[in-house]
Amino acid sequence: MEVGWRGVCRFRFRQKGVKMDRGCRGVTFLWHIENYSFCSHEKGEALLSPDFKPEGLEGTSWYLCLYPRGATDEHKGFISLYLRRWSDNGPEYVSIKFQLSVLAEDGSALSSKEYDHSFRGWNWQGSGDFLKMDESLYLRKLPRDVLTVRCKMWRGEGEVPRLAPICIRTCIVVETISFRHEVDNFSALKPNRKHTIRIPSPLKREYFVTSSLYFTVHSCPAGEMIFEIKPTDSSYILCKRKISLIGSENIILRSVDDNRFDVEKRDIRKLPLSFTRQKIVNKKNEYLPRNELTLHCECSFSTRDVFHQMNVEHEMPIAVPDQDINKNSRKISTYSSALEDIKTLYVNRSLTDVKRKTKTKSFAAHKLVLCARSPVFNRMLTNDMKERTTACIEVDDLGDDVVQQLLLFLYSDTVQSLEWTMATRLYYAADKYEIGRLKAVCSSFLVEHLNPTNAGELLLLADTLSDVDLKGEVEDFILEHEEELFGSEEWEMLLKTNPVLAGETMLLKYKRKKNQVNEIEFKKLKGNLF
């Protein structure tokens, strides 16, 4: 990664020898930007494409420069787009014709402009008011949130050539988290007294965001409810948040804030909800079962100036868009998938018929989903066992947070807020209830995040649950880092708590070395015999 012009982080890709078509002496560059609406760029900040270096343009190198919220104050409310020549070893001046276009999903041009310009190194040409920025652009023209920029470059006279494109994909990194914010004894909550929870990071051993709820009566006697989201990493920009109030009869009040389409990109981390405290208290039988307020929160963050180049393809034929197919595709994409609808059943607690009960909390669920995803649950709920008659599965060895994550995975096939401790507990739960997919997800995460400090812990877990594959990977890691690991406090602790396992692992080094020597001697003997 490099820090480019104006400090914008970008991934560099240099494609040498991209040939221009010999007949028309031109090249087409297609740049697909996924999750485009989550560009967190301020006015004057650029999103830069990878470089491309076409043959036939005398060794010159080029890239596209796009300003999601305008290049200057003059271009406020517009997308600015330029073609820029990179610093290269080509001639001082290169004269070309080029066409810049922004394409809709069906391939039609939302805006297209042609230019004839002589470029020097670092020189650029384009338009500050290339395309007007508005919400309809994203929702109607880009339903899949992919903006496609096309640049055609050619030399010589004649019409714009039809050329097979160079295709590059860049993805704006978006992280979406869902969680519940529950407030016990809500009616006793005092004005301006914050109720705060912390949501762990999926990848780091620290908190990802804090969620705070309080109400104030200064500006609104009915009690304006303020909901505040604070990411611990300043590079995470909150772009969209949806807060839903869940009641006893699945009655939901929603409050949605979205700044992706704002020219000024307002800060939505701390905003009032669309419903007041008084409205909730007035219908406490519906909105406050057991005097407990339950909010389901879904927040989408953009990681500032971090973009991923997805793939590079060459000489792809330009497909003629089928208008009917694209029309139907857009129509289908507006509806939720089966998996999303099933997840909604869990979030809203609709038509639940079984409970999973820990020492401190009860979780409503659906027998059909539990039986379909877990052979163990299927046996509990279909055979002559107490769980079938009581419609209650008691869980004494798992915490509330683990049970909630486990259920969420059964309904959505995804794990949220995954970190080391949660991954080890979910791995144990997945093994206990024979949920193979979740076990594989946790195992992969744990192996990826192995280090000398936690290797002993994972070795013990793999041995306890008789996971031969995981144990083998941990053993390989331990032997690769034996000098650092065998002298550590963590390994000394394992030697005290499980000396047999620690001893067997250390003995592996000599067993493998002996096997290697035997294999070499066998090969030598075999060579002498034949």
Side-chain angles (χ1 to χ4, degrees), residues 17 110 120 188 196 262 319 376 396 477:
L110 298 173
R120 298 182 67 182
T196 301
D262 297 346
V376 176
D396 296 329
F477 178 87

Side-chain angles (χ1 to χ4, degrees), residues 13-22 24-30 50-63 151-155 163-168 309 311-316:
F13 167 76
R14 185 175 296 277
Q15 175 60 34
K16 297 183 179 179
V18 177
K19 295 183 179 180
M20 299 182 73
D21 186 272
R22 293 183 180 180
C24 54
R25 301 176 66 196
V27 65
T28 295
F29 178 77
L30 279 179
D51 302 348
F52 54 102
K53 189 175 183 180
E55 264 187 21
L57 281 183
E58 305 174 71
T60 55
S61 184
W62 309 79
Y63 65 93
C151 176
K152 291 184 176 183
M153 304 167 61
W154 71 99
R155 305 177 81 175
L163 303 168
I166 309 162
C167 296
I168 305 290
Q309 177 188 322
N311 65 295
V312 184
E313 301 173 6
H314 306 284
E315 303 305 324
M316 293 176 58

Side-chain angles (χ1 to χ4, degrees), residues 434-452:
E434 299 177 16
I435 307 169
R437 187 178 180 88
L438 177 58
K439 190 175 179 180
V441 169
C442 294
S443 177
S444 176
F445 176 89
L446 293 169
V447 170
E448 186 178 346
H449 292 80
L450 260 177
N451 61 54

Side-chain angles (χ1 to χ4, degrees), residues 192 215-226 272:
N192 299 311
F215 73 94
T216 176
V217 295
H218 296 302
S219 58
C220 177
E224 187 176 50
M225 302 283 294
I226 308 296

Side-chain angles (χ1 to χ4, degrees), residues 127-190:
S127 175
D129 55 354
F130 193 87
L131 179 64
K132 187 171 179 58
M133 177 187 174
D134 59 49
E135 187 170 350
S136 64
L137 165 67
Y138 302 102
L139 300 182
R140 292 202 295 269
K141 300 296 185 180
L142 308 174
R144 298 182 188 276
D145 205 10
V146 179
L147 183 83
T148 297
V149 179
R150 182 181 65 196
C151 176
K152 291 184 176 183
M153 304 167 61
W154 71 99
R155 305 177 81 175
E157 301 300 324
E159 297 181 355
V160 179
R162 292 179 61 85
L163 303 168
I166 309 162
C167 296
I168 305 290
R169 292 189 178 273
T170 295
C171 182
I172 308 299
V173 179
V174 177
E175 184 162 346
T176 299
I177 62 169
S178 298
F179 59 92
R180 283 177 179 266
H181 189 131
E182 298 176 341
V183 183
D184 295 328
N185 198 18
F186 174 77
S187 60
L189 190 66
K190 301 298 183 181

Side-chain angles (χ1 to χ4, degrees), residues 205 420 446-456 477-478 481 484-485:
R205 293 188 176 188
W420 180 267
L446 293 169
V447 170
E448 186 178 346
H449 292 80
L450 260 177
N451 61 54
T453 303
N454 59 35
F477 178 87
I478 290 173
H481 302 80
E484 181 180 0
L485 203 146

Side-chain angles (χ1 to χ4, degrees), residues 44-161:
E45 291 183 320
L47 171 61
L48 309 180
S49 81
D51 302 348
F52 54 102
K53 189 175 183 180
E55 264 187 21
L57 281 183
E58 305 174 71
T60 55
S61 184
W62 309 79
Y63 65 93
L64 296 174
C65 190
L66 184 144
Y67 293 82
R69 285 178 170 75
T72 66
D73 290 335
E74 183 183 354
H75 307 129
K76 179 180 177 181
F78 287 90
I79 296 174
S80 304
L81 180 61
Y82 302 89
L83 173 67
R84 187 166 191 177
R85 182 181 170 186
W86 188 248
S87 178
D88 51 47
N89 296 321
E92 183 177 2
Y93 289 94
V94 174
S95 296
I96 63 165
K97 295 178 181 179
F98 66 99
Q99 180 193 67
L100 295 178
S101 305
V102 172
L103 306 181
E105 188 182 66
D106 61 5
S108 62
L110 298 173
S111 179
S112 186
K113 299 182 181 182
E114 291 186 22
Y115 306 86
D116 189 341
H117 188 68
S118 181
F119 286 85
R120 298 182 67 182
W122 291 98
N123 190 215
W124 57 352
Q125 181 66 34
S127 175
D129 55 354
F130 193 87
L131 179 64
K132 187 171 179 58
M133 177 187 174
D134 59 49
E135 187 170 350
S136 64
L137 165 67
Y138 302 102
L139 300 182
R140 292 202 295 269
K141 300 296 185 180
L142 308 174
R144 298 182 188 276
D145 205 10
V146 179
L147 183 83
T148 297
V149 179
R150 182 181 65 196
C151 176
K152 291 184 176 183
M153 304 167 61
W154 71 99
R155 305 177 81 175
E157 301 300 324
E159 297 181 355
V160 179

Side-chain angles (χ1 to χ4, degrees), residues 323-339:
Q323 298 296 332
D324 292 331
I325 291 177
N326 279 284
K327 181 179 179 181
N328 291 332
S329 297
R330 291 195 299 273
K331 186 184 295 184
I332 292 171
S333 68
T334 61
Y335 298 100
S336 58
S337 66
L339 202 59

